[in-house]
């Protein structure tokens, strides 16, 4: 599952659940649509709610890196759990996309305001 | 490392059609079957990741242009040694050594990272790959489970 | 109720040796495979109970005096209809009608209650039993899953 | 898994986890040993932590009913969750062993004291 929000040139994609080949395809479609519409300069992918990830997650990050890099933007990999870090390290992802455990300073403050507003709107949980 | 003895203590064989939604089910079946060994979080995550790579490869590459069945067999041996076989009857791999090279992939356009075999090798102790073009591919993954209690 | 259409949307086949520790695994595999239908707690519990009865019967009765394999096949059809086949190649049932009578059991000394078939009939919509002495037993359980969303 | 305690002629058997043919055999051995040693007049089986039960649970109750009945004792089925009640009702268990949602009055107060003492002794969780 995925929730996406763009403010002030920054797109925040919050992934949740298992990230495998099956779900990566769904997430990719949503992220790429947002990138094509909003042209952000930074894409922050938040992994804190991802429960499993295999190399499909690496493919997802690398593919987004290529898109962002073409338009001189950057990709940040945020808050990966320990078992995901293991896969990220093995792939050497940090050479292309910095990995961080802290979102502060990376995304505009008002993105959180928009998220609050959205939470109030959404009564039922979103499904993909 | 010694060869696992011939008779498994328990085993299960699972077959399912090559649908991507079954990748999750394959992981679930493996962790459910191995739960009797009480694996710790880190080894369970390693095993699930390796299995996910092999099953995904069967679905994405093996049956790239066709429909077909994926078979997964999990065996538990003495001293918590496990062996997991993943088999497809798909297109096969012409050059296994090349396929196992880190970052090598025949499907970059589908965001494959070319790291499936690398992850299987890193996260399991032993990997055997048998493949024949037109016949299919068999991957056998082996390792020992330490478990929570024995740590 | 109409017959399920011929082609399942998804299916899985599981085989395992007739060990009582695999009863739990069979339930886990069924609930994992059906999770895509998002069954509500009550129907998931019904299905797991019925499957547990059939798998236990294969292990306890079918392979009473022998070792052998239990096969379980789960199929998902259109409109969330499911069909679950449990098969053993064990001793078989001489009189199926008698065996299905509530409280009838051939193993009272092992605390069997004789309610396995009654539970399968009550918790599923349809049950078919095929058996031949010396050849084995096949039980097919069918029902529709309403799911959480559609309630 | 099972925890058993006898005080003042009452045996309390607390079951937990899945109750199927596999685990029922283990539970039965433990309960029958306690009954043979302590000869209680009442056996209270607490189902509140049972996560699954098939007809093997009915067999377990019925078998214990036969043993208790021979020595003029009784079996009480305590605190079964909803999905277990369904199986109990189907089997008509309540005609032989009363079903209750409340342990009060059924077991001596000092059984709880013993349980507390035991908790302090046990540092590691018990496995069967
Ligand atoms: N089961 C298979 N059937 C056919 N080809 C395969 C199979 N598994 C792997 N391959 C080939 O090996 C290559 C490398 O595999 P892998 O390391 O898992 O990376 P990726 O899956 O990301 O491509 C694949 O791109 C594919 O060409
Ligand atoms: N798979 C099987 N193979 C052989 N006999 C069976 C099988 N399943 C059921 N039976 C027979 O049918 C009887 C009734 O089964 P059931 O209603 O499930 O009660 P129980 O398992 O408690 O005996 C069993 O006691 C056994 O004699």
């Amino acid at each position: 599952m995925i929730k996406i929000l763009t403010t002030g040139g920054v797109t925040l994609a919050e992934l949740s659940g298992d990230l495998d080949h099956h779900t990566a395809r769904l997430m990719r479609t949503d992220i790429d649509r947002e990138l094509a519409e909003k042209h952000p300069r930074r894409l922050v992918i938040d992994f804190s709610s991802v429960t499993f990830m295999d190399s499909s997650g690496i493919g997802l990050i690398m593919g987004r890196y290529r898109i962002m890099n073409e338009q001189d933007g950057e990709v940040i990999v945020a808050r990966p759990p320990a078992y995901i870090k293991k896969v990220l390290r093995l792939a050497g992802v940090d050479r292309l996309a910095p990995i961080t455990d802290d979102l502060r300073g990376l995304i505009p403050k008002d993105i959180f305001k928009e998220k609050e507003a959205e939470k109030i709107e959404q009564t039922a949980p979103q499904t993909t | 490392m010694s060869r696992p003895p011939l008779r498994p203590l328990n085993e299960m064989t699972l077959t399912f059609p090559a649908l991507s939604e079954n990748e999750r089910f394959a992981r679930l079946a493996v962790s459910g079957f191995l739960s009797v060994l009480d694996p710790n979080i880190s080894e369970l995550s390693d095993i699930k990741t390796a299995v996910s790579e092999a099953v995904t490869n069967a679905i994405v590459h093996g049956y790239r242009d066709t429909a077909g069945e994926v078979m997964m067999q999990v065996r538990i041996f003495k001293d918590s040694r496990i062996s997991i076989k993943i088999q497809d009857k798909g297109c096969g791999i012409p050059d296994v050594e090349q396929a196992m090279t880190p970052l090598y992939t025949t499907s970059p356009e589908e965001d494959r990272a070319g790291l499936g075999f690398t992850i299987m090798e890193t996260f399991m102790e032993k990997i055997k790959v048998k493949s024949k073009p037109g016949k299919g591919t068999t991957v056998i993954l082996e390792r020992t489970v330490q478990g929570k209690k024995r740590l």
Side-chain angles (χ1 to χ4, degrees), chain B residues 56-129:
Chain B
T56 301
N57 277 353
I59 295 172
V60 173
H61 304 300
Y63 297 114
R64 198 186 334 250
D65 308 311
T66 49
E69 294 270 310
V70 181
M71 190 276 276
M72 176 171 81
Q73 182 176 57
V74 184
R75 292 157 170 247
I76 298 176
F77 295 94
K78 214 168 137 287
D79 301 325
S80 294
R81 279 207 63 75
I82 59 164
S83 169
I84 305 173
K85 176 154 81 179
I86 290 108
Q87 190 167 64
D88 66 68
K89 306 231 171 286
C91 65
I93 306 174
D95 184 342
V96 171
E97 205 182 321
Q98 179 187 46
M100 294 181 78
T101 311
L103 301 176
Y104 177 84
T105 179
T106 50
S107 308
E109 77 290 354
E110 285 170 57
D111 275 350
R112 302 307 303 158
L115 289 170
F117 279 125
T118 311
I119 284 180
M120 290 183 243
E121 283 189 287
T122 313
F123 287 7
M124 301 294 281
E125 283 157 12
K126 215 165 150 182
I127 176 171
K128 274 181 259 178
V129 182

Side-chain angles (χ1 to χ4, degrees), chain A residues 18-23 25 28 32 51-56 58-60 62-64 66 83 86-87 90-91, chain B residues 20-21 23-24 27 42 45-46 48-49 52-53 56 59-60 108-113 115-116 118-119 122-123:
Chain A
D18 283 12
L19 203 181
D20 60 12
H21 159 252
H22 180 71
T23 57
R25 285 195 299 183
R28 175 174 69 169
D32 289 359
T51 46
F52 169 86
M53 187 183 99
D54 63 18
S55 74
S56 310
I58 304 298
L60 183 76
M62 295 309 197
R64 283 350 97 213
R66 275 190 291 270
Y83 47 89
K86 207 168 162 182
V87 179
L90 185 145
Chain B
S20 63
E21 64 196 82
E23 292 155 11
R24 189 175 159 275
R27 293 194 299 272
S42 156
S45 154
D46 287 1
K48 279 166 63 181
T49 310
S52 196
E53 299 296 347
T56 301
I59 295 172
V60 173
E109 77 290 354
E110 285 170 57
D111 275 350
R112 302 307 303 158
L115 289 170
T118 311
I119 284 180
T122 313
F123 287 7

Side-chain angles (χ1 to χ4, degrees), chain A residues 101-116:
Chain A
D101 288 329
D102 197 344
L103 286 181
R104 266 175 299 176
L106 288 173
I107 51 178
K109 286 234 174 67
D110 47 329
I111 213 163
F112 292 109
K113 280 190 216 131
E114 292 213 19
K115 281 183 60 174
E116 278 311 310

